[in-house]
Amino acid sequence: MEEKKTDWKSMLGLALIFGILAFMFLRNQEEPPKEEPTTTESQSITEQTTPVNTVNDSSSISTDSIVDKAQVLDFGNELVDFKISTKGALITEALLKKFVTYDSLPVYLVKGNDHKFNLAFQTQDGRQLNTSNMVFTPKTSRNGENQVLSLTANPGQGATLEFRYELKPDDYMMDFNIRSQGLSQLVNTTEAATLNWELQAYRRSKSISNENRYTEIKFEYDGGSDDYTGQGENAEEEAEKITWIAYKEHFFSSILLTDTPFQSGLMQSFNNYSANDEQNELTKKFSSEVQMEYNGGELVYNMDWYFGPTDYDILDTYDRNLDEVVDLGWGIFGVINEWAIRPMFSLLSNPDNGLGIPYGIAIILLTICVRLVLSPVLYKSYLTQAKMKILRPEINKIAEKYKDNPMKKQQETMRVQSEAGASPLAGCLPALLQMPVFFALFKFFPTAFELRQKSFLWADDLSSYDEIFELPFYIWGYGDHVSLFPILASVSIFFYMQMTTGQNMQAAQQPGMPNMKFIMYLSPLFMLVFFNNYASGLSLYYFISNLITIGLMLVIKYVIIDKDKVLAKIEKAKAKPKKKKGRFASKMQEIMEQAQAQQEIQKKSKK
């Protein structure tokens, strides 16, 4: 009897494939953080100023209180409430009025000393001037319906520096201009001014690990290219001609845009969560240092601030390429999401411009639509798999008949499959064509702002995990809770693989063939473990998709395919006289025979 050996090469290949997928989930470790020196210029603004107590008015500007020559001004509209200090003309608070965190607390994108914004100049006598140390004089006005707050500082020698904020009603974007007069008499304009912007990102979602995975710096540079810093413990990127910098905190973003590109810049992200996983409030700390050029000896920069949701539809309305802040995937994955998945899902779920279907039902309908679109591609694969199950008894007979001649066994197996129209290659290729859609949806669901805090069945938030049981301990890679949708998706994957590979186990152990039993257990385990902390909407999609696939397989097996006809076709082919093989077939047989002869020689030499 032929000795069955474990195909270690196939096992290694499969392990590498799943290792790459696992890396996509867990990549968040890099070199240890570098300590940054602290200076008196980076001390908390709130330690030097006292906020103003003002009336809760959605469009008010208050300038009532002055403490130590610094005051805190209220500046807001229907969507965002800002507090701006005259010390450094700094935004010390940005409250998003229409959103709350997972535990029903207000969403602050800026809060006190978490935000630092400083413009540094080199004077002609070698000193350094910092706007964070300057006290600005405020002036309020209106430009039509827009509120205007102008803050002016006098750095010396008759020079003035103005920070001007203008806020429209019902808009997350705020105009922000920096202009100087007479600055060339004071500073060395041959060296660029340096702008430093720092912000601390906090946890706002139920799963801090999942939120941290999508928290990063994204930026646009060099006339429209975009990039990101990544997920390392210390991540940084340098660029030139920067037109916007986005501090993305998963579903919320703080973005600084400029009409005049920054000459160059260094963007850095420090991963608080990976550096200290014992704390569960801080995700990342962001900092950027960019160079601002003088124009005729003066600083003239027309910029904008965006403090709001990382919502694709909102960001896309500004026509500044801000939709790239939402991670829809690169290459073909992003194209599929932008032009197919997003419009389809919006049509189903949007209450204003679509059908307004509840989001959980919309995911199910989206799944059905995707399967219908892919059905012409996948039908051939499902048909082949169903025929392979019918052929199993015939292939087992061949295996027993030629058990001492592996080459002949393989030739006869391929002949039977070909006569039945069940080529394994023809079944694999259509399945591979759906992989871009698979990975596109893997990117879509965790970043879809529409799913945030939307419930379905037992899941209270489709953008986070659907916990049904809290564990009394933490399991590395799995978490401290049990999510139900990943369990259902894993079970459905297991039954699907049982249907398609369960009866192929014996053939799978042949030399050169992958260990199908290994795959059948590893795939559901992968889904169960790694999706436990992911968006439940994603697991819901895979669960429904697998149920549809199982249903299609059953219909093909019991309704579409006639088992007797398939077997009769094989018997008819056996009765026909053998045709003369073509040149290609003859050449392939010759190669296989040579390989068989070489194997026999190797076996004899080992003995």
Side-chain angles (χ1 to χ4, degrees), residues 26-248:
L26 300 177
R27 58 186 181 96
N28 60 358
Q29 297 293 328
E30 280 192 7
E31 60 190 61
K34 299 176 183 178
E35 294 294 333
E36 297 181 358
T38 57
T39 65
T40 56
E41 296 170 2
S42 63
Q43 291 176 350
S44 169
I45 293 298
T46 54
E47 293 176 358
Q48 305 173 37
T49 61
T50 301
V52 180
N53 295 322
T54 60
V55 180
N56 185 16
D57 186 349
S58 63
S59 59
S60 63
I61 302 176
S62 174
T63 60
D64 297 335
S65 176
I66 299 179
V67 179
D68 296 332
K69 297 184 180 180
Q71 31 181 161
V72 176
L73 315 173
D74 277 359
F75 191 62
N77 60 14
E78 293 81 1
L79 301 177
V80 191
D81 271 344
F82 294 100
K83 289 187 183 298
I84 301 176
S85 173
T86 57
K87 183 69 175 294
L90 175 71
I91 298 174
T92 60
E93 189 171 294
L95 168 65
L96 301 185
K97 301 168 70 172
K98 293 191 174 183
F99 304 102
V100 294
T101 64
Y102 75 102
D103 50 356
S104 301
L105 297 176
V107 173
Y108 288 94
L109 291 186
V110 174
K111 186 69 173 177
N113 61 349
D114 301 329
H115 189 225
K116 296 179 176 64
F117 189 84
N118 177 60
L119 191 57
F121 309 91
Q122 293 294 327
T123 65
Q124 294 181 1
D125 57 1
R127 294 179 295 112
Q128 180 171 297
L129 293 178
N130 298 285
T131 57
S132 59
N133 293 329
M134 299 178 187
V135 176
F136 288 70
T137 301
K139 180 182 178 182
T140 62
S141 61
R142 287 191 172 273
N143 181 12
E145 294 183 349
N146 301 347
Q147 301 176 67
V148 178
L149 173 60
S150 174
L151 297 112
T152 306
N154 302 106
Q157 296 189 13
T160 61
L161 183 65
E162 179 190 21
F163 283 18
R164 184 180 184 274
Y165 298 91
E166 182 171 343
L167 185 60
K168 301 175 184 177
D170 201 26
D171 198 345
Y172 292 105
M173 189 76 76
M174 177 170 59
D175 292 345
F176 174 56
N177 301 326
I178 295 179
R179 300 180 185 276
S180 70
Q181 287 186 357
L183 202 59
S184 59
Q185 304 298 319
L186 177 65
V187 304
N188 182 5
T189 57
T190 61
E191 295 186 14
T194 301
L195 175 62
N196 292 279
W197 179 30
E198 298 181 14
L199 185 66
Q200 173 65 62
Y202 282 86
R203 174 187 182 182
R204 300 187 181 92
S205 297
K206 186 164 55 175
S207 173
I208 185 173
S209 61
N210 188 56
E211 181 176 26
N212 192 58
R213 189 176 292 113
Y214 299 98
T215 298
E216 61 190 352
I217 301 178
K218 302 202 76 171
F219 56 94
E220 185 186 64
Y221 67 101
D222 199 20
S225 301
D226 60 88
D227 204 347
Y228 60 96
T229 52
Q231 297 295 319
E233 190 171 314
N234 252 356
E236 63 179 43
E237 290 289 337
E238 293 185 80
E240 297 181 350
K241 298 180 180 178
I242 301 168
T243 44
W244 53 254
I245 301 172
Y247 291 168
K248 185 180 73 169

Side-chain angles (χ1 to χ4, degrees), residues 283-540:
T283 55
K284 290 187 175 71
K285 179 182 178 181
F286 302 126
S287 68
S288 296
E289 182 178 290
V290 297
Q291 308 303 314
M292 303 175 67
E293 295 181 292
Y294 295 94
N295 183 1
E298 304 293 345
L299 275 181
V300 181
Y301 273 79
N302 296 325
M303 297 184 284
D304 297 279
W305 285 108
Y306 177 88
F307 293 96
T310 314
D311 187 324
Y312 183 94
D313 293 329
I314 293 176
L315 294 172
D316 192 44
T317 61
Y318 293 109
D319 197 25
R320 292 288 300 270
N321 202 31
L322 293 180
D323 54 284
E324 294 294 339
V325 177
V326 182
D327 187 10
L328 295 180
W330 56 272
I332 186 63
F333 311 130
V335 172
I336 292 173
N337 276 326
E338 183 175 0
W339 297 103
I341 302 301
R342 281 208 63 85
M344 190 184 304
F345 188 70
S346 180
L347 176 64
L348 292 171
S349 61
N350 194 311
D352 298 324
N353 303 315
L355 300 177
I357 298 172
Y359 287 93
I361 303 299
I363 291 176
I364 295 175
L365 294 178
L366 174 67
T367 309
I368 295 173
C369 291
V370 170
R371 304 307 291 180
L372 287 175
V373 171
L374 293 176
S375 58
V377 176
L378 298 177
Y379 177 75
K380 183 71 173 178
S381 175
Y382 297 155
L383 197 64
T384 296
Q385 291 172 3
K387 288 182 178 180
M388 292 291 286
K389 293 191 69 175
I390 294 174
L391 297 176
R392 175 50 41 205
E394 186 74 17
I395 293 176
N396 287 340
K397 292 178 182 178
I398 294 173
E400 180 64 25
K401 182 177 181 180
Y402 300 103
K403 59 184 177 181
D404 296 326
N405 191 341
M407 188 61 64
K408 185 65 175 177
K409 179 170 60 177
Q410 188 173 2
Q411 290 174 347
E412 289 299 308
T413 299
M414 293 174 63
R415 178 186 62 78
V416 170
Q417 292 171 346
S418 177
E419 290 170 351
S423 170
L425 182 61
C428 291
L429 288 177
L432 291 176
L433 293 177
Q434 71 170 327
M435 294 304 290
V437 178
F438 175 91
F439 284 110
L441 290 164
F442 176 79
K443 283 289 189 180
F444 170 74
F445 284 107
T447 58
F449 185 84
E450 300 92 325
L451 297 180
R452 182 180 183 269
Q453 297 182 348
K454 299 300 190 300
S455 61
F456 179 66
L457 298 179
W458 57 85
D460 57 3
D461 187 348
L462 287 169
S463 71
S464 188
Y465 57 79
D466 55 310
E467 177 185 337
I468 58 168
F469 181 72
E470 184 176 353
L471 298 174
F473 47 82
Y474 179 84
I475 303 175
W476 184 89
Y478 184 75
D480 57 0
H481 63 276
V482 176
S483 299
L484 183 53
F485 276 131
I487 294 176
L488 296 176
S490 300
V491 171
S492 64
I493 289 177
F494 178 81
F495 278 108
Y496 165 69
M497 299 198 73
Q498 180 72 33
M499 290 175 60
T500 57
T501 66
Q503 294 186 17
N504 297 339
M505 294 299 181
Q506 295 177 359
Q509 302 305 314
Q510 296 176 8
M513 297 291 287
N515 190 318
M516 301 305 293
K517 189 174 183 180
F518 176 74
I519 297 177
M520 191 174 74
Y521 289 109
L522 183 60
S523 297
L525 182 63
F526 180 83
M527 168 68 73
L528 180 66
V529 173
F530 290 104
F531 280 71
N532 191 59
N533 289 291
Y534 266 66
S536 54
L538 182 63
S539 301
L540 171 61

Side-chain angles (χ1 to χ4, degrees), residues 488-599:
L488 296 176
S490 300
V491 171
S492 64
I493 289 177
F494 178 81
F495 278 108
Y496 165 69
M497 299 198 73
Q498 180 72 33
M499 290 175 60
T500 57
T501 66
Q503 294 186 17
N504 297 339
M505 294 299 181
Q506 295 177 359
Q509 302 305 314
Q510 296 176 8
M513 297 291 287
N515 190 318
M516 301 305 293
K517 189 174 183 180
F518 176 74
I519 297 177
M520 191 174 74
Y521 289 109
L522 183 60
S523 297
L525 182 63
F526 180 83
M527 168 68 73
L528 180 66
V529 173
F530 290 104
F531 280 71
N532 191 59
N533 289 291
Y534 266 66
S536 54
L538 182 63
S539 301
L540 171 61
Y541 168 82
Y542 290 142
F543 171 56
I544 299 300
S545 180
N546 291 329
L547 287 184
I548 294 173
T549 300
I550 291 172
L552 289 174
M553 290 290 296
L554 293 174
V555 170
I556 290 173
K557 179 180 179 181
Y558 294 108
V559 178
I560 297 178
I561 292 182
D562 190 327
K563 178 180 179 181
D564 295 332
K565 286 184 178 181
V566 173
L567 296 176
K569 185 177 179 181
I570 296 174
E571 294 299 326
K572 185 178 179 181
K574 288 181 181 179
K576 288 183 179 181
K578 303 263 184 189
K579 293 182 180 179
K580 186 178 179 180
K581 294 182 180 179
R583 293 180 61 186
F584 179 76
S586 300
K587 187 65 175 176
M588 289 298 297
Q589 182 175 356
E590 182 182 347
I591 294 173
M592 293 173 69
E593 289 174 353
Q594 291 176 356
Q596 176 66 20
Q598 188 175 3
Q599 288 180 3

